[in-house]
Amino acid sequence: MDTSSNYDDNSDQGYHPSPSSLDQTETPRFSTTSGDSFLFRRVYSQTSAFSDPTDDNSYSSEPSPCHWSENRSSPHNQPVLGRLAMKQRKQIIDDHESVDTELEMMKERFAKLLLGEDMSGSGKGVCTAVTISNSITNLYATVFGQNLRLEPLNPEKKAMWKREMDCLLSVCDYIVEFVPKSQNLKNGSALEFMETIPRSDIYINLPALRKLDAMLIEILDGFQETEFWYAEQGSMSSNSTRSGSFRRIIVQRKEEKWWVPVPCVPPGGVSEKSRKHLRHKRDCANQIHKAAMAINSSVLAEMDIPDTYMASLPKSGRASLGDIIYRYMSATDKFSPDHVLNCLNVASEHEALELADRVEASMYTWRRKACMNHSKSSWEMVKDLMSDIDRTDKNHVLAERAESLLFCLKQRYPELSQTSLDTCKIQYNRDVGKAILESYSRVLEGLAFNIVAWIEDVQFVDKSVRKQGHK
């Protein structure tokens, strides 16, 4: 028997690295870089090379000093220890680089926030509210922009979304309002002072948005193992031909977009359990979409209308709408916004958005005319005076009908882009709290709408396949 081989085996078994060493060398590391507006690197490790606790008993299972000296003197063990030391040193260097990289990225983001995205430093940048709004929008595009399937979010992007949003939303912790409060002293006198509390709109809406955010991520995580799969449009890969490809079915859909992956299901369709799961998740995402849209609409409604928009309004609401729509609006019989939209036969999202801009402009034109008899003409005064206007006034009636038509239009086309007024409000808004609530609710509304659409795509294919199977 070769004693040297036994000696090698025993010497290898004689060395037991500490738990902290194993963690340092075996902990997986991931990094991500964004091609849009964010660039950083993330190291997922539960332990750090700088803060590992030293356990006095970590070497209790090692051999005696005599045996240890023999092992150390063995030329076979020296390369092993050398490689281990090199890995530990490389881990420390990588941790240093990771911390430095994240610190530099935070410095860059903080600088852009202060400069208002004006790198010249001349003070011509946008205000803080617009900068934060753009940051949330860009972060959403970076994390969710390439996600077009019903599948869990990439762990790196999920961590990126949580960390960056926590940083941006932390501003709301310092947005407060003062309320009077009194305290009775020991001598019986009362001391009045002002106490700070979170601003009411942030206190109500921000926790709700955080909850909706977590629910949407949870919905995506619920599609870990699915009975359906995806095939790239125009691709005949092995995945697209597995158990048959049903791309011919989805092609018949008018709303199909060529860059969206095509869902595929087995020849008999998905199971009843999977079908119930899809219905439940769709209902949840649809409710989240409605909640986010309601918060976004309320925040936009509270934003001041810029003077530039009021100055650009047409002098006549009829000229803004056109004669055909105006006849429907001014009809003496009962007005029905649904009937108007059915008669107009809007064919595309572009036409719907153009109509929304025209209706909204005419609405504020008629409201302004209804208040022209009052001496105060600013928009703040207009809002206060609307309650005093004669409800039978023609301009007021037309404004009310235009508002109902605009509401019905947005309900019929929930994917409608922002109107000119909404864009103008966001651009000229100076309230940081409203900017955060508006942008956060807007991106969550978009994500919820996408999830509903993806689920409906799978349901459409499943229904079509089952119909074909019954023929």
Side-chain angles (χ1 to χ4, degrees), residues 403-422:
E403 184 178 10
S404 63
L405 179 61
L406 181 63
F407 178 80
C408 184
L409 182 64
K410 290 183 177 181
Q411 289 291 322
R412 183 170 295 193
Y413 302 96
E415 72 279 6
L416 200 65
S417 303
Q418 293 170 331
T419 63
S420 299
L421 176 58
D422 294 340

Side-chain angles (χ1 to χ4, degrees), residues 75 80 86 111-112 120 196 199 202 209 235 254 280 292 296 339 349 374 434 444 449 459:
V80 177
M86 289 175 63
K112 288 182 178 181
S120 67
T196 59
R199 209 172 72 182
I202 295 176
L209 291 174
S235 168
K254 296 181 180 180
H280 174 67
N296 185 262
H339 176 68
E349 181 182 346
H374 297 269
K434 291 179 180 178
L444 293 182
F449 178 82
Q459 290 177 327

Side-chain angles (χ1 to χ4, degrees), residues 280-384:
H280 174 67
K281 295 301 181 182
R282 182 200 175 279
D283 293 341
C284 291
N286 192 40
Q287 293 300 321
I288 294 173
H289 175 260
K290 291 180 179 179
M293 187 166 57
I295 294 176
N296 185 262
S297 299
S298 65
V299 174
L300 283 172
E302 290 298 321
M303 287 186 179
D304 296 332
I305 298 180
D307 294 335
T308 55
Y309 180 83
M310 297 298 294
S312 65
L313 289 176
K315 294 182 179 180
S316 170
R318 180 174 184 172
S320 176
L321 284 178
D323 292 336
I324 297 178
I325 303 179
Y326 181 77
R327 280 199 295 269
Y328 285 115
M329 302 283 291
S330 58
T332 55
D333 54 347
K334 188 176 181 180
F335 172 74
S336 173
D338 288 311
H339 176 68
V340 175
L341 293 179
N342 292 334
C343 295
L344 294 177
N345 192 20
V346 180
S348 65
E349 181 182 346
H350 176 74
E351 292 183 6
L353 182 60
E354 182 183 7
L355 177 61
D357 286 335
R358 289 160 54 194
V359 172
E360 198 165 43
S362 63
M363 178 180 68
Y364 285 105
T365 299
W366 284 321
R367 284 183 176 177
R368 183 174 59 181
K369 283 186 175 182
C371 301
M372 283 184 65
N373 294 331
H374 297 269
S375 58
K376 300 177 182 179
S377 59
S378 68
W379 175 243
E380 287 296 330
M381 296 298 104
V382 169
K383 290 195 299 183
D384 295 337

Side-chain angles (χ1 to χ4, degrees), residues 184-336:
N184 295 325
L185 301 179
K186 294 182 178 180
N187 57 6
S189 61
L191 176 64
E192 294 185 355
F193 58 95
M194 300 299 290
E195 183 183 38
T196 59
I197 60 174
R199 209 172 72 182
S200 57
D201 58 338
I202 295 176
Y203 181 77
I204 295 173
N205 292 320
L206 187 58
L209 291 174
R210 284 185 176 274
K211 180 63 175 178
L212 297 179
D213 186 353
M215 292 172 66
L216 288 174
I217 299 297
E218 184 180 356
I219 290 177
L220 290 177
D221 290 339
F223 292 97
Q224 183 74 36
E225 297 180 358
T226 60
E227 298 179 11
F228 58 88
W229 65 96
Y230 287 90
E232 298 295 337
Q233 180 68 351
S235 168
M236 292 302 294
S237 62
S238 59
N239 288 336
S240 64
T241 57
R242 183 183 62 177
S243 300
S245 175
F246 303 98
R247 291 188 295 126
R248 64 183 180 276
I249 297 173
I250 199 70
V251 166
Q252 299 174 4
R253 301 187 64 186
K254 296 181 180 180
E255 64 270 26
E256 184 206 13
K257 299 179 180 179
W258 62 268
W259 62 85
V260 178
V262 179
C264 301
V265 298
V270 299
S271 64
E272 183 62 28
K273 179 180 179 181
S274 180
R275 205 170 294 126
K276 289 182 179 179
H277 179 260
L278 286 170
R279 285 196 298 265
H280 174 67
K281 295 301 181 182
R282 182 200 175 279
D283 293 341
C284 291
N286 192 40
Q287 293 300 321
I288 294 173
H289 175 260
K290 291 180 179 179
M293 187 166 57
I295 294 176
N296 185 262
S297 299
S298 65
V299 174
L300 283 172
E302 290 298 321
M303 287 186 179
D304 296 332
I305 298 180
D307 294 335
T308 55
Y309 180 83
M310 297 298 294
S312 65
L313 289 176
K315 294 182 179 180
S316 170
R318 180 174 184 172
S320 176
L321 284 178
D323 292 336
I324 297 178
I325 303 179
Y326 181 77
R327 280 199 295 269
Y328 285 115
M329 302 283 291
S330 58
T332 55
D333 54 347
K334 188 176 181 180
F335 172 74
S336 173

